[in-house]
Amino acid sequence: MDRRKFLAASATLGVAPLAAPSIAHAQTTFNWKMTNAYGPGSPFYVEGPGSPTDFCKKVEAMSDGRIKIQHFAAGELIPALEGFDAVRSGAVEMNAGNAYFWAGKIPAAQYFTTVPFGLNFQGMNAWLYHGGGMELWDELYAPLGLKALPMGNTGVQMTGWFRKPIESVADFKDLKMRIPGLAGKVYAALGVDVKLLPGGEIFPALERGVIDAAEFVGPYQDRRLGLQNAAKYYYTTGWHEPSNVTELLINEAAWSSLPADLQSIVSTAAMACNLESHTWCEANNAAALRDLVENEGVIAQVLPEDVVAELKTVTDTVLAEFAAQDPAAQKVHDAFMAFKAEHHEWAAISEKPYHNLPG
């Protein structure tokens, strides 16, 4: 019987023709909370293209509302640097910050933010996405019930702000300086009194003389904090942070509760923000630096070559000693340095010659 005769017979007999299978569309909606190590309104770290709040919007749009993330800047739900414990306990599902803030809990975590004289933006992402870095990050955090994804990158950062000029390594001795991460250990080896302060506390500490120097990010973000009003000597080389990864910290149980498609959406949105945040920094820092120099009286200059050379020597020693104190740190250190050596072989004949070209 052909289709027309079948339908006619069905109508005559009062039998409804077969319908297409019915598919249930009811799906679970996830309502999550994200805390942040940075204060309300912070460009890059809280708001703007590629920021954590932008990430939340991307995830909601891409998932058609199946996962909604309520964002809280530092101080709105918990203090700035308590996100690690909040995510681990399950009080919130996510936190935006930097892995080196958890150095006291997981020493090796610092390698997943930045390494002095380490990898730039391209190299860091190559290591994380394709060089085994993500697998090591998972291995490090899994015993604590945590998962992490890269969600942003500032690219190379400025050495920082100093009340007095730096003309030799001796000028670092006895300075009180805000500097997080492995670079802080290098400075400490040179006699610096290292301070770990949230971004919102840097300016008042520098202005009042509680600290003598500070690094934060780069011209755009530093200008917003008003650091140019507390110190005038602004140095660069980026030796301490040739790139800086924003960490999306996730409670592992919450992550495992997501269906595969939502996990993919979260991962993809984080990767999109990783790229977008970096390009935003690249697009805005030049004008900000020009404004600081031309209109704010800032003295921007490169650290003396002999100072950088000594910093490199001390860094090699400090990192080797640091890694030797913890098996997990040694494993991550060795993997990072092996990838760095390989990546630099390529960079030496690609990026470096290009950047050394005239104008």
Side-chain angles (χ1 to χ4, degrees):
M1 183 181 294
D2 64 27
R3 182 173 180 274
R4 288 184 179 180
K5 292 180 179 179
F6 172 76
L7 292 175
S10 297
T12 301
L13 296 172
V15 179
L18 297 175
S22 176
I23 301 175
H25 289 282
Q27 295 173 312
T28 303
T29 298
F30 297 84
N31 293 288
W32 283 11
K33 295 182 179 68
M34 175 196 285
T35 49
N36 197 315
Y38 295 88
S42 299
F44 178 90
Y45 286 112
V46 174
E47 296 180 354
S51 67
T53 53
D54 187 29
F55 164 82
C56 295
K57 293 174 184 176
K58 282 178 167 59
V59 169
E60 183 170 350
M62 292 165 69
S63 68
D64 195 25
R66 290 169 56 207
I67 177 167
K68 299 178 180 181
I69 305 168
Q70 186 177 6
H71 177 274
F72 298 91
E76 292 181 340
L77 189 63
I78 61 173
L81 302 182
E82 294 188 10
F84 184 93
D85 291 332
V87 174
R88 187 180 179 190
S89 70
V92 300
E93 289 80 12
M94 291 177 158
N95 181 76
N98 304 103
Y100 59 22
F101 289 148
W102 329 131
K105 304 173 187 295
I106 313 177
Q110 297 174 90
Y111 285 83
F112 298 97
T113 300
T114 190
V115 177
F117 294 98
L119 293 163
N120 63 3
F121 172 76
Q122 297 100 308
M124 192 68 168
N125 281 310
W127 178 59
L128 289 174
Y129 292 127
H130 305 291
M134 288 298 303
E135 289 79 4
L136 283 172
W137 210 351
D138 285 341
E139 181 181 322
L140 190 66
Y141 278 21
L144 299 173
L146 298 168
K147 178 175 180 58
L149 295 170
M151 188 178 60
N153 199 307
T154 64
V156 65
Q157 295 199 2
M158 295 290 285
T159 303
W161 299 85
F162 296 79
R163 288 173 166 269
K164 297 180 180 180
I166 299 298
E167 298 174 346
S168 71
V169 172
D171 292 327
F172 289 124
K173 186 172 175 57
D174 297 326
L175 277 183
K176 298 185 292 293
M177 182 176 183
R178 184 270 182 186
I179 175 76
L182 294 167
K185 295 184 178 296
V186 177
Y187 275 123
L190 293 171
V192 174
D193 183 4
V194 173
K195 308 292 185 183
L196 179 60
L197 300 173
E201 297 180 17
I202 299 175
F203 172 74
L206 190 60
E207 183 186 41
R208 296 197 309 268
V210 175
I211 55 177
D212 306 304
E215 72 80 42
F216 186 48
V217 184
Y220 191 97
Q221 287 98 325
D222 292 5
R223 182 182 60 178
R224 180 181 178 276
L225 290 187
L227 301 184
Q228 71 276 9
N229 297 316
K232 291 299 181 183
Y233 293 95
Y234 197 27
Y235 284 97
T236 185
T237 65
W239 73 271
H240 70 302
E241 294 190 22
S243 70
N244 182 289
V245 177
T246 299
E247 174 193 71
L248 174 62
L249 188 64
I250 310 171
N251 178 278
E252 175 61 39
W255 174 256
S256 297
S257 73
L258 294 179
D261 65 325
L262 289 186
Q263 287 185 351
S264 182
I265 284 172
V266 169
S267 297
T268 301
M271 184 180 288
C273 286
N274 190 19
L275 173 62
E276 191 170 8
S277 63
H278 175 68
T279 54
W280 178 87
C281 289
E282 290 293 301
N284 286 283
N285 276 326
L289 180 60
R290 185 170 60 251
D291 174 60
L292 288 169
V293 172
E294 294 180 356
N295 302 313
E296 301 288 346
V298 169
I299 303 169
Q301 53 194 324
V302 179
L303 282 174
E305 289 185 10
D306 60 333
V307 171
V308 177
E310 182 63 19
L311 285 166
K312 178 64 168 66
T313 299
V314 175
T315 293
D316 291 343
T317 300
V318 167
L319 291 182
E321 292 175 350
F322 168 77
Q325 296 172 7
D326 176 65
Q330 187 70 65
K331 182 175 182 178
V332 175
H333 173 89
D334 290 346
F336 182 94
M337 292 303 172
F339 186 87
K340 176 194 167 188
E342 183 171 326
H343 180 262
H344 277 201
E345 287 184 16
W346 166 239
I349 61 172
S350 59
E351 295 289 329
K352 187 174 181 179
Y354 174 75
H355 287 299
N356 287 338
L357 290 174

